[in-house]
Amino acid sequence: MSAPPRTVILTGAGVSADSGVATFRDPQGVWAQYDHREVATPQGFAANPRLVHEFYNARRRGLPEVAPNLAHEAIARFQAEAAARGGSAILVTQNVDDLHERAGSEQVWHMHGELAKARCDGPEPGTPGCGAIHPWTDDLGLETACPACGATGGMRPHVVWFGEMPMLMEEIEAALAAADCFVSIGTSGSVYPAAGFVHAARAMGVKCVELNLEPSENAYAFDDGRYGRASDVVPAWVREVLGDS
Ligand code: APR
């Protein structure tokens, strides 16, 4: 099987699991330790911004402690090789970590935002701030001033919360419509709109492949599935598709 000319890859928390980053819905996952309504919704932020900042500060502080794994590296290699062969491999991730970039992926479409960025939403939750987005590695808090407008109290993680619109949706839909192959890696298929991508791709005649630890909720919708740890199955799939020995 030669590399499909136009591929869209979707990743979820499972691609970073072998780097030691917790997934969300596994038994020891993030949502087994926190109530997502308290730490990952606009209402939770309005009710207790300090708790939300603490939740994201702890995850942001953990970023330097983890490193890309063989799955991130294989995806970066696949993207480079697809481009070298005159095709494309667009990487859409639900993850807010920076492991794809650190593995060498250049174009990474973070549809749920990025932990290493902060946004000025204004002094009161829900009031428009200057909207500036800044690279951010330090802690955030109510006293944090926006480097662009100086307002405090409105800086928030540049992360999409439940109930908010994911980013880059028009671009993602256009990429799926133009794709020959859709590859879903390390996601449970629990959260829309990402969980709907396979259905949209399938309806447009796109070949759909799932690479995951175990069959996801949408496994039935895929043409092919390879199951195991991402750091094993992703490099193996990339070698097969690129025709490596
Ligand atoms: N290798 C491959 N897959 C794995 C591994 C691994 N080592 N470990 C776990 N998985 C799989 C799990 O079987 C599961 O199907 O990764 C998937 C992780 O699913 P979730 O924890 O639900 O994470 P994800 O699908 O990314 O969640 C989507 O939900 O809470 C929101 O915004 C959050 O982006 C997240 C979204």
Side-chain angles (χ1 to χ4, degrees), residues 34-126:
Y34 292 90
D35 180 339
H36 74 278
R37 293 164 299 182
E38 292 181 355
V39 295
T41 61
Q43 296 79 4
F45 187 56
N48 190 344
R50 290 188 196 290
L51 175 66
V52 175
H53 279 311
E54 280 169 20
F55 174 69
Y56 286 97
N57 288 344
R59 293 172 70 199
R60 192 179 304 107
R61 275 189 235 113
L63 280 181
E65 312 300 318
V66 295
N69 64 57
L70 294 175
H72 296 105
E73 291 168 4
I75 291 167
R77 177 176 169 244
F78 180 79
Q79 286 183 285
E81 194 54 40
R85 298 185 188 187
S88 65
I90 292 172
L91 175 56
V92 179
T93 186
Q94 299 173 89
N95 300 340
V96 295
D97 64 52
D98 59 352
L99 294 175
H100 282 305
E101 289 88 345
R102 288 162 59 191
S105 284
E106 286 169 7
Q107 261 202 335
V108 184
W109 295 5
H110 285 273
M111 64 180 290
H112 289 169
E114 299 176 67
L115 200 48
K117 288 185 178 171
R119 184 172 82 235
C120 174
D121 264 12
E124 293 302 324

Side-chain angles (χ1 to χ4, degrees), residues 11-15 17-18 23-26 31 36 94-96 112 160 162 185-191 211-216 228-231 233:
T11 61
V15 82
D18 293 344
T23 59
F24 290 95
R25 292 170 185 81
D26 287 325
W31 300 143
H36 74 278
Q94 299 173 89
N95 300 340
V96 295
H112 289 169
V160 176
F162 288 94
I185 302 174
T187 181
S188 61
S190 311
V191 175
L211 309 178
N212 204 49
L213 185 63
E214 59 200 4
S216 72
R229 304 192 71 82
S231 49
V233 297

